[in-house]
Amino acid sequence: MTKMRAQLQNFPLFIFGANQRNVKLLRAAPRYCFRISSRSPLSFVFELRTRLRSAFTDADQFSFNYFSLKHHVSNYKSVSRRFAALLGYSFNGHTYMRLHKPNLVPTKKLPDALIIGVKKCGTRALLEFLRLHPDVRAAGSEVHFFDKFYHKGFEWYRDKMPPTLEGQITMEKTPSYWVTRSAPRRVYAMNPSVKLLVVVRDPVTRAISDYTQSASKRPSLPRFEDLALVNSTVNWGGVWSIVDSSWPPVRLGIYARPLRRWLRRFPRSRLLLISGERLVVDPAFEMARVQDFLGLKLVITEKHFYFNSTKGFPCLLKSESRPTPHCLGKTKGRNHPYIDPVAIERLREFYRPYNEKFYELSGTNFEWP
């Protein structure tokens, strides 16, 4: 016994974390080394028990402290992440990244997209159809900023726009921008990345529609033939000579000239040409093109439309503001007056070379007669 006690007196005893529940704890626990100094066997056993109990007590205390600290650190990280999120930050590893917080307060901004023309081609219908989309907000009326009120400045223009949330598109419609010579330069100065929407239709039909609108306001207006053609004195036995290209309803149908001006400022990818004819016969198809061009989710589909055979125009089955079916208004789908077929053919001959040039510039053959 004396010999064994002497060996133990000089032999260091190592205690490795008594808590076996966690491998990491075993690696991290401190080592305990003590020397037995007792002379008698009884004292030796008593002192060994005391030292071992002390060692196990320290190990348990270490285990408790370790897990308690780990819990507090976890809580601290969780609270820190929540607090950082409130400030718009995201904790990623050892770095903080600023998060992009959406604007939850509606604000007015300059337009992201413009319907710039063409008059009497379906611009009003296009705008009303676009209003069905929850991510589109449009000015209530034609603003005429780039042709009449440019001198008032962009802040005035911005104030005319509806409030929008982040992610929504702001837009307005003024068809006269299409033929305003300074409009491309002014729009480009506002935003070179703005998206432009242009509705076009058969120029002969467009001219007749333009005349019909004017005649509804001025019943004393001369016949369409007398205004569109020079020397159209058929009642006097004369013959129609040439088309009067200076008459506004005729001049507006020469689409190639304005398109060339707009393409000098904007790339073709920024301008979408919409068929006025297809907007009537298949509005869902054209609206799918428009939504794709504007980067919008496809929301407006055939379920939103029905064809009114009386008006000869598509009407809306439902919208955000009006859940009941409704048409665009009394002025849409007016009956056109009778036009002499000879005059119509003469106009088609006049427009044919201009249409070919327009097809070439736009890259689209609209196949007008």
Side-chain angles (χ1 to χ4, degrees):
M1 177 64 70
T2 303
K3 184 177 180 181
M4 181 180 69
R5 185 178 63 180
Q7 290 176 345
L8 287 172
Q9 283 179 339
N10 297 315
F11 183 79
L13 181 62
F14 296 93
I15 304 298
F16 292 93
N19 192 333
Q20 298 290 332
R21 292 172 298 178
N22 195 296
V23 176
K24 292 184 179 179
L25 177 61
L26 289 174
R27 294 197 187 105
R31 295 183 301 173
Y32 295 88
C33 175
F34 50 86
R35 185 174 181 178
I36 304 300
S37 59
S38 299
R39 297 293 180 181
S40 66
L42 183 61
S43 298
F44 167 78
V45 172
F46 178 77
E47 185 175 354
L48 177 62
R49 186 187 68 174
T50 302
R51 293 294 184 94
L52 288 174
R53 181 181 296 172
S54 175
F56 283 115
T57 300
D58 289 346
D60 289 339
Q61 182 64 35
F62 171 81
S63 176
F64 172 79
N65 290 342
Y66 174 80
F67 284 106
S68 177
L69 178 62
K70 184 178 180 181
H71 174 72
H72 287 300
V73 170
S74 177
N75 286 343
Y76 171 77
K77 286 184 178 181
S78 177
V79 172
S80 299
R81 287 191 178 99
R82 290 198 296 268
F83 180 70
L86 290 175
L87 299 178
Y89 289 88
S90 173
F91 185 77
N92 181 20
H94 299 289
T95 61
Y96 281 97
M97 298 185 302
R98 181 73 179 178
L99 288 176
H100 183 63
K101 289 187 68 178
N103 181 17
L104 302 179
V105 179
T107 57
K108 293 185 177 183
K109 61 179 182 179
L110 294 173
D112 306 290
L114 295 171
I115 300 176
I116 60 174
V118 178
K119 179 185 177 183
K120 304 309 300 177
C121 286
T123 56
R124 168 71 186 284
L126 173 62
L127 182 64
E128 292 304 313
F129 295 167
L130 275 170
R131 288 184 193 275
L132 297 171
H133 203 291
D135 290 335
V136 172
R137 292 292 180 269
S141 59
E142 296 177 5
V143 183
H144 287 280
F145 174 67
F146 294 106
D147 58 343
K148 295 182 180 178
F149 302 113
Y150 191 69
H151 63 280
K152 292 181 178 290
F154 287 118
E155 288 306 312
W156 178 90
Y157 188 39
R158 188 198 310 272
D159 191 57
K160 297 295 181 181
M161 296 299 110
T164 54
L165 296 171
E166 186 170 339
Q168 292 181 322
I169 289 178
T170 301
M171 65 187 311
E172 72 116 337
K173 171 190 79 79
T174 302
S176 56
Y177 294 162
W178 175 248
V179 292
T180 301
R181 291 182 177 274
S182 57
R185 171 176 53 83
R186 292 171 174 178
V187 172
Y188 187 87
M190 177 193 72
N191 182 6
S193 300
V194 70
K195 295 186 177 181
L196 307 171
L197 302 170
V198 185
V199 189
V200 293
R201 68 192 290 198
D202 176 7
V204 176
T205 308
R206 197 222 67 83
I208 297 172
S209 179
D210 200 345
Y211 167 82
T212 303
Q213 183 183 46
S214 300
S216 67
K217 301 175 182 178
R218 297 170 53 195
S220 61
L221 202 65
R223 294 184 313 156
F224 175 85
E225 296 90 337
D226 296 334
L227 296 170
L229 303 171
V230 178
N231 297 329
S232 57
T233 55
V234 292
N235 290 335
W236 301 338
V239 294
W240 289 309
S241 54
I242 60 174
V243 174
D244 185 1
S245 60
S246 65
W247 187 43
V250 171
R251 187 174 67 247
L252 279 174
I254 306 175
Y255 302 135
R257 293 173 183 172
L259 178 60
R260 190 180 292 109
R261 286 197 295 268
W262 284 96
L263 290 179
R264 290 193 189 110
R265 293 282 177 177
F266 294 92
R268 183 67 185 81
S269 60
R270 289 287 167 186
L271 192 146
L272 180 68
L273 293 169
I274 301 156
S275 169
E277 287 85 5
R278 279 201 301 267
L279 197 61
V280 171
V281 298
D282 192 359
F285 175 82
E286 284 300 287
M287 293 310 299
R289 293 182 61 234
V290 172
Q291 290 170 93
D292 181 66
F293 175 71
L294 295 176
L296 295 169
K297 181 181 178 182
L298 182 60
V299 172
I300 308 169
T301 61
E302 61 275 358
K303 70 181 181 181
H304 291 93
F305 305 101
Y306 74 96
F307 189 79
N308 187 310
S309 57
T310 303
K311 296 177 71 69
F313 206 82
C315 296
L316 304 176
L317 280 172
K318 59 181 180 178
S319 65
E320 282 189 328
S321 58
R322 299 181 63 178
T324 57
H326 63 283
C327 294
L328 299 181
K330 296 180 180 179
T331 62
K332 299 302 173 184
R334 290 190 189 95
N335 291 325
H336 290 177
Y338 173 80
I339 307 295
D340 192 300
V342 177
I344 292 178
E345 185 57 34
R346 183 68 188 91
L347 283 169
R348 295 208 185 282
E349 292 174 1
F350 168 79
Y351 280 121
R352 195 161 289 122
Y354 293 111
N355 290 345
E356 293 297 332
K357 186 63 178 177
F358 178 67
Y359 299 161
E360 180 183 345
L361 287 172
S362 66
T364 304
N365 186 346
F366 290 90
E367 300 181 346
W368 294 319

